[in-house]
C-alpha cells in the first residue's frame, strides 16, 4: 500500500492511493476523484472514470466530475425547506431549484487533509468546518470524509458530520464510471443489478412528484440484473426515460444495507457497491460531457454512469421516507464501499452476482 502526493494547480494537491493493482487519485479541492485505474480481465490497466484534461476545469466543474456533494445532493424545489416550522431559503442555482449544495457546495471547498497508510490500507482524510448560514443552510457543521483503499481492492468513502444546530444533510460522490476502460465504449454493455422495487417519479423539471412507481415489468427493474442498453435504446418510447434522456432516477433500497452490482461485458470488469444509504440516483450522463475537454476527448450521452448513493430531498416533504434532518450534536455516519474486480465473459451461470479475482 502506498500514497503519492503531487502539487497540481492553485495550491491544490492530488493524492494517489495504490495497492499496486489499483490506483485512485483524489484532489484536496472538492474531494474530487480524478482517476481510478484498474485492470481488465486480460490485465490491461485503464482509467474507468471521467477525467478533465485540464485541472482548471475542476474549478467550476459544472458536471460535478468526481466531486463530493453536500450539504444536500439532488434538487430541492425552490430551494426551500423547514425544520421545526422554521423556514429556510437556499440559493437557486439550477432554474428555481437548489442543486447539489449550491454554487459554493462541498465540491468547491479546499479541504484539510491527513494521510495514513498501513500494510493493508491507504487512507486520505478530508476535514472542514462548514460555517453557519453557508449557502443558506442552518448551523455550523464539522465534516470528515475518509477515502480508504484496501489490499482487497475495496475503496470506501466514509462520511461523518456533526452539526451544532439542527440542519439537513445528505452527502454523496458524483463520479462518472465507465468500466470499458479509457471511455472507449458506451455504457450499453454495463449489466446492472439494483435491489429496488420502487423509484421516484419525475416531472418535466426532473423533480420528484412524490409518487413511488413500481418497477415491475418496466425499464427500471434491475432486481435480477439488466443491461443499460435495454432501457437506453428504448428511451423515446418510455415517458420517464424520455424526460431525462436516460436514467436520472432515485431508486429506493429495500434494506438498511444494500448492494449494487455492475459488470461490463467487453472488459470483464466488475464493480460491487455496498452502502448504508437509503437509496441511490443512477444517472447515465444524458447530456454527455457538454463540450468539455476530457482526457479521452468530448464524450456523447451515455458514456458514463453515476451511482449517487444518498437520501433524497423528497424526504423533506414526505414522512414515509427516511428523514434527512440531523439534530444538533447528532452524528451523521454513512459509508459507501466500491469493490473492483474482473470475471470471465458473461454467462447465465454467473449472472446473478459478480465474483472478484
Amino acid at each position: 500500500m502506498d500514497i503519492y502526493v503531487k502539487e497540481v494547480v492553485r495550491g491544490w494537491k492530488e493524492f494517489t492511493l495504490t495497492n499496486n493493482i489499483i490506483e485512485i487519485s483524489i484532489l484536496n479541492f472538492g474531494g474530487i476523484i480524478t482517476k481510478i485505474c484498474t485492470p481488465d480481465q486480460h490485465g490491461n490497466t485503464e482509467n474507468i472514470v471521467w477525467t478533465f484534461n485540464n485541472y482548471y476545469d475542476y474549478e467550476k466543474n459544472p458536471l460535478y466530475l468526481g466531486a463530493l456533494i453536500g450539504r444536500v445532493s439532488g434538487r430541492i424545489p425552490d430551494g426551500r425547506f423547514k425544520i421545526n416550522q422554521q423556514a429556510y431559503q437556499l440559493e437557486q442555482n439550477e432554474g428555481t431549484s437548489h442543486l447539489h449544495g449550491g454554487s459554493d457546495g462541498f465540491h468547491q471547498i479546499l479541504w484539510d487533509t491527513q494521510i495514513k497508510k498501513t500494510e493493508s490500507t491507504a487512507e486520505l482524510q478530508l476535514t472542514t468546518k462548514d460555517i453557519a448560514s453557508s449557502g443558506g443552510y442552518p448551523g455550523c457543521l464539522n465534516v470528515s470524509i475518509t477515502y480508504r483503499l484496501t489490499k482487497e481492492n475495496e475503496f470506501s468513502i466514509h462520511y461523518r458530520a456533526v452539526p451544532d444546530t439542527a440542519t439537513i444533510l445528505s452527502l454523496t460522490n458524483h463520479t462518472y464510471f465507465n468500466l470499458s476502460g479509457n471511455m472507449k465504449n458506451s455504457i450499453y454493455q454495463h449489466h446492472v443489478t439494483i435491489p429496488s422495487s420502487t423509484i421516484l417519479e419525475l416531472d418535466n423539471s426532473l423533480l420528484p412528484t412524490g409518487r413511488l412507481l413500481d418497477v415491475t415489468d418496466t425499464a427500471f427493474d434491475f432486481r435480477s440484473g439488466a443491461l443499460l442498453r435495454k432501457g437506453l435504446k428504448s428511451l423515446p418510447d418510455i415517458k420517464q426515460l424520455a424526460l431525462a434522456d436516460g436514467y436520472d432516477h432515485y431508486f429506493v433500497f429495500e434494506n438498511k444495507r444494500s448492494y449494487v452490482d455492475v459488470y461490463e461485458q467487453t472488459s470483464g470488469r466488475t464493480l460491487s457497491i455496498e452502502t448504508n444509504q437509503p437509496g441511490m440516483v443512477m444517472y447515465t450522463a444524458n447530456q454527455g460531457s457538454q463540450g468539455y475537454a476530457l482526457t479521452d476527448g468530448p464524450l456523447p450521452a451515455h458514456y458514463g454512469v453515476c451511482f449517487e448513493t444518498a437520501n433524497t430531498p423528497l424526504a423533506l416533504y414526505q414522512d414515509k421516507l427516511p428523514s434527512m434532518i440531523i439534530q444538533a450534536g447528532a452524528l451523521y455516519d454513512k459509508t459507501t464501499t466500491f469493490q473492483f474486480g474482473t470475471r470471465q465473459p458473461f454467462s447465465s451461470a454467473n449472472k446473478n452476482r459478480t465474483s472478484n479475482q
Side-chain angles (χ1 to χ4, degrees):
M1 307 299 300
D2 216 335
I3 303 174
Y4 302 98
V5 185
K6 71 175 183 179
E7 298 278 348
V8 284
V9 297
R10 300 190 186 281
W12 301 354
K13 293 181 180 179
E14 186 176 57
F15 298 79
T16 298
L17 315 181
T18 180
N19 61 7
N20 295 321
I21 298 173
I22 291 171
E23 288 191 356
I24 300 175
S25 297
I26 304 151
L27 293 176
N28 59 344
F29 178 75
I32 293 166
I33 296 171
T34 57
K35 284 186 180 180
I36 299 180
C37 297
T38 71
D40 66 9
Q41 63 186 335
H42 303 296
N44 301 313
T45 297
E46 297 169 305
N47 182 27
I48 60 167
V49 302
W50 284 20
T51 301
F52 278 129
N53 194 44
N54 190 326
Y55 283 105
Y56 287 102
D57 285 333
Y58 287 110
E59 186 168 30
K60 292 184 178 179
N61 200 2
L63 305 179
Y64 299 94
L65 251 64
L68 287 175
I69 304 297
R71 289 188 188 186
V72 170
S73 60
R75 296 174 175 87
I76 299 177
D78 300 318
R80 298 173 187 164
F81 66 95
K82 290 183 178 180
I83 300 178
N84 300 326
Q85 303 308 310
Q86 172 69 47
Y88 294 93
Q89 178 65 61
L90 303 177
E91 173 194 14
Q92 296 172 325
N93 63 311
E94 187 194 56
T96 60
S97 296
H98 177 82
L99 175 66
H100 288 337
S103 57
D104 294 321
F106 288 176
H107 65 292
Q108 291 291 296
I109 289 176
L110 189 63
W111 295 75
D112 295 325
T113 60
Q114 184 175 351
I115 60 176
K116 177 182 178 182
K117 62 181 179 179
T118 68
E119 289 185 359
S120 58
T121 63
E123 182 176 298
L124 170 66
Q125 184 181 57
L126 306 178
T127 57
T128 193
K129 184 172 184 178
D130 196 37
I131 62 173
S133 299
S134 174
Y137 290 98
C140 293
L141 188 70
N142 288 307
V143 189
S144 171
I145 312 293
T146 302
Y147 293 94
R148 180 181 294 114
L149 177 65
T150 74
K151 64 180 181 181
E152 289 81 21
N153 300 334
E154 289 184 344
F155 174 61
S156 62
I157 308 177
H158 188 188
Y159 308 89
R160 293 169 63 92
V162 179
D164 65 358
T165 301
T167 191
I168 59 175
L169 200 60
S170 178
L171 307 183
T172 194
N173 179 274
H174 206 278
T175 292
Y176 293 69
F177 290 95
N178 184 323
L179 301 186
S180 71
N182 294 343
M183 317 313 130
K184 56 181 172 287
N185 297 315
S186 75
I187 56 172
Y188 287 165
Q189 299 306 315
H190 286 58
H191 185 272
V192 179
T193 306
I194 304 174
S196 173
S197 60
T198 53
I199 63 163
L200 298 184
E201 181 186 56
L202 298 180
D203 66 14
N204 291 335
S205 300
L206 303 184
L207 293 170
T209 65
R211 289 186 62 204
L212 289 170
L213 301 180
D214 187 341
V215 303
T216 303
D217 297 325
T218 74
F220 295 91
D221 193 348
F222 290 92
R223 289 173 293 182
S224 297
L227 287 172
L228 291 179
R229 168 190 288 275
K230 182 178 180 181
L232 294 174
K233 279 290 191 180
S234 59
L235 71 86
D237 302 317
I238 301 172
K239 181 180 178 181
Q240 277 296 299
L241 288 180
L243 287 172
D245 294 321
Y247 293 95
D248 194 4
H249 296 74
Y250 187 85
F251 290 77
V252 180
F253 288 151
E254 312 285 298
N255 302 304
K256 290 184 178 180
R257 186 167 295 278
S258 298
Y259 301 84
V260 174
D261 285 326
V262 189
Y263 167 59
E264 204 281 324
Q265 293 183 313
T266 59
S267 68
R269 288 186 177 92
T270 63
L271 172 60
S272 296
I273 304 169
E274 178 185 358
T275 187
N276 61 350
Q277 295 276 18
M280 176 189 78
V281 171
M282 182 170 71
Y283 172 58
T284 49
N286 303 323
Q287 284 72 51
S289 60
Q290 301 177 33
Y292 285 89
L294 306 183
T295 54
D296 300 291
L299 295 176
H302 309 148
Y303 265 68
V305 56
C306 300
F307 301 102
E308 303 165 52
T309 56
N311 203 342
T312 169
L314 189 63
L316 296 170
Y317 317 103
Q318 289 199 1
D319 293 338
K320 62 185 178 183
L321 295 168
S323 175
M324 66 167 54
I325 296 174
I326 308 298
Q327 299 298 332
L331 174 65
Y332 176 91
D333 191 348
K334 299 294 183 181
T335 302
T336 297
T337 299
F338 306 85
Q339 184 165 38
F340 304 98
T342 59
R343 76 178 187 200
Q344 295 303 310
F346 188 80
S347 70
S348 59
N350 61 11
K351 71 178 180 179
N352 292 323
R353 184 75 177 167
T354 58
S355 60
N356 296 287
Q357 298 178 351

